Structure formats: C-alpha cells, structure tokens
C-alpha cells in the first residue's frame, strides 16, 4: 500500500524470512533452550485432546513457577 | 539436542523432526518448548535402534502404536529438553512417504538433522487447523513460492 513502511506490514517479516531461507548461505535461526522446566514423568497419549489437556496443565505449572529461564542454543 | 540427534543418526534411526523446531530449521525464527519427532508407528527394528541409542536419556522405552491408537504421542523430559515422539501426524499419509521427501538440515553446531519437508509441514499444519499455527502456515506458503 502507498505510503506504508515495511515495518507496518504484518506480512513483511514472513516474506523476509522466506527469502532468507532460500539463500545459499542460509543458516537456521537459533532457538533459545528452556531451563528449569518443571519435572514430569514420561507421558503417553492416545489422542491430541489428551495431549493438549496435559500440555495446558503443564503450561499452568510453568506459569505458577514464574515462567522458565531461556539460554542460548548457540555453541560456545 | 545435537548429541541426541547425532545418536539417532549414528544408530540409523528413522525419524523426521516436525512441529515448531522443524519450522525454525526451515527458516522461521520461533520459540519452542520441545522437539517433536515423527517415527514409524510399528517398525520393530527402528524401536530397537531408537531405544538402544537414546534409551539412557529416557525414563522408559518408546513403544509402538497400540491397536486402538494408544501411545500415538509419547513425551519425555530429557537432559536436552522435552522430546515428543509422534507415531502419526494429521495430513501425513505415511511415514515412508514423509521420510522420502524429508530433508537433511544442519543444527547450530553442524549436526545433520532429518526434517520433514516444508510441503509436508504445511499439509500437517493445514490438517491440524489450529489458529495458533496461522503464522507457520503463512511462512510455509511463502516459502513454497520461492
């Protein structure tokens, strides 16, 4: 749209990421790793409904402990 | 997580990374609490290799899909973070087909990682139909146009 800056366009970042991913020198963006996640035993689910219900409870537990700390996934 | 993936590779485990980490590896900056891995639902040899390779980091073995869909997602807390094994994914007809189209991508320290193709990721997101996947879908569709 005329007079619109790229930063005003909510789709601009998507186009930017897709263009960057198509370059030959592309490296995946790093993802911070969560620390101090609440402990839980192995879980087995028979449906997404079951899994999502457990995940909601787990996220509430994370919220109750004040969130998680994140650390860099970059080597070194 | 690189150590975990490297073990899978060395043992010849059949897997493909799906979900948020797969979207990130395809180029979209994104947070994710866990790593989601699609594995064949009933390949006995693969379960054997998988449990031998990374079993020491899981409290219990990963088991095949039950006759009534039991165990179709299995979630473990490991020293590398939360790892979820998916034995089926909506929008993906079979593991064999998804595996053939999957791509190898380097992780941060260079370990090669098998990742679901962008097209299969898109199909899985569309089939899931979740509102929170809207940006992922937009990115994958934009990527398809490149």
């Amino acid at each position: 749209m005329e007079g619109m800056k790229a930063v005003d366009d909510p789709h601009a970042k998507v186009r930017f990421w897709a263009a960057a991913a198509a370059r030959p020198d592309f490296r995946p963006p790093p993802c911070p790793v969560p620390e101090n996640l609440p402990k839980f035993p192995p879980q087995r689910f028979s449906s997404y409904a079951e899994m999502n219900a457990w995940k909601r409870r787990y996220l509430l537990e994370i919220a109750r402990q004040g969130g998680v700390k994140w650390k860099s996934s970059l080597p070194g | 997580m690189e150590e975990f993936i490297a073990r899978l590779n060395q043992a010849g485990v059949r897997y493909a990374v799906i979900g948020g980490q797969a979207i990130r590896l395809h180029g979209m900056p994104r947070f994710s609490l866990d790593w989601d891995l699609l594995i064949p639902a009933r390949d006995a040899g693969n379960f054997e290799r998988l449990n031998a390779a990374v079993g020491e980091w899981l409290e219990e073995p990963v088991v095949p899909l039950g006759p009534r869909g039991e165990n179709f997602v299995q979630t473990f807390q490991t020293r590398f973070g939360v790892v979820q094994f998916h034995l089926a994914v909506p929008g993906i007809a079979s593991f064999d087909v998804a595996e053939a189209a999957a791509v190898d991508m380097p992780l941060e320290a260079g370990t090669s990682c098998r990742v679901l193709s962008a097209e299969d990721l898109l199909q899985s997101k569309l089939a899931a139909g979740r509102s929170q996947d809207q940006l992922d879908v937009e990115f994958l569709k934009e990527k398809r146009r490149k």
Side-chain angles (χ1 to χ4, degrees):
Chain A
M1 280 177 278
E2 197 177 338
M4 193 176 179
K5 294 178 190 171
V7 289
D8 297 328
D9 177 359
H11 306 289
K13 62 184 177 187
V14 174
R15 290 196 298 274
F16 175 81
W17 294 333
R23 290 194 201 111
D25 61 345
F26 165 73
R27 298 288 291 178
C31 180
V33 178
E35 291 186 308
N36 71 319
L37 282 169
K39 292 278 176 209
F40 66 84
Q43 305 288 320
R44 300 183 200 281
F45 307 105
S46 300
S47 69
Y48 279 119
E50 256 182 36
M51 185 188 81
N52 289 333
W54 173 80
K55 202 173 242 184
R56 267 194 299 277
R57 290 195 300 275
Y58 189 58
L59 288 174
L60 280 174
E61 201 178 332
I62 290 174
R64 275 196 294 272
Q65 74 166 23
V68 288
K69 290 177 187 164
W70 295 87
K71 67 175 179 183
S72 171
S73 62
L74 295 173
Chain B
M1 193 60 190
E2 302 229 2
E3 195 180 346
F4 192 96
I5 295 291
R7 280 269 190 102
L8 298 181
N9 293 342
Q10 285 156 12
V13 175
R14 301 172 70 200
Y15 73 92
V17 175
I18 60 172
Q21 296 289 357
I23 302 271
R24 175 180 72 84
L25 293 168
H26 275 287
M28 182 175 140
R30 195 180 188 292
F31 277 80
S32 184
L33 271 181
D34 50 27
W35 281 76
D36 296 286
L37 276 66
L38 176 63
I39 56 173
R42 293 191 180 97
D43 179 340
N46 200 56
F47 281 101
E48 220 167 273
R49 292 192 296 276
L50 170 63
N51 287 314
V54 297
E56 68 176 281
W57 297 319
L58 311 173
E59 285 179 54
E60 294 172 5
V62 187
V63 296
L65 188 68
R68 287 174 298 279
E70 302 95 324
N71 317 315
F72 100 112
V73 178
Q74 299 172 53
T75 306
F76 299 86
Q77 191 162 30
T78 75
R79 56 178 278 222
F80 307 101
V82 177
V83 180
Q84 288 197 298
F85 294 97
H86 296 248
L87 278 55
V89 171
I92 303 297
S94 77
F95 180 87
D96 293 357
V97 173
E99 182 181 44
V103 288
D104 291 318
M105 293 188 158
L107 301 178
E108 281 84 342
T111 303
S112 180
C113 182
R114 199 100 180 117
V115 181
L116 202 68
S117 72
E119 185 60 33
D120 281 340
L121 272 174
L122 175 60
Q123 294 310 318
S124 71
K125 294 285 179 185
L126 290 173
R130 304 184 310 175
S131 57
Q132 65 262 42
D133 292 337
Q134 203 181 327
L135 195 59
D136 294 344
V137 167
E138 190 180 335
F139 169 74
L140 292 165
K141 284 183 173 172
E142 184 67 28
K143 197 170 170 175
R144 184 201 255 169
R145 283 193 278 271
K146 296 290 169 196

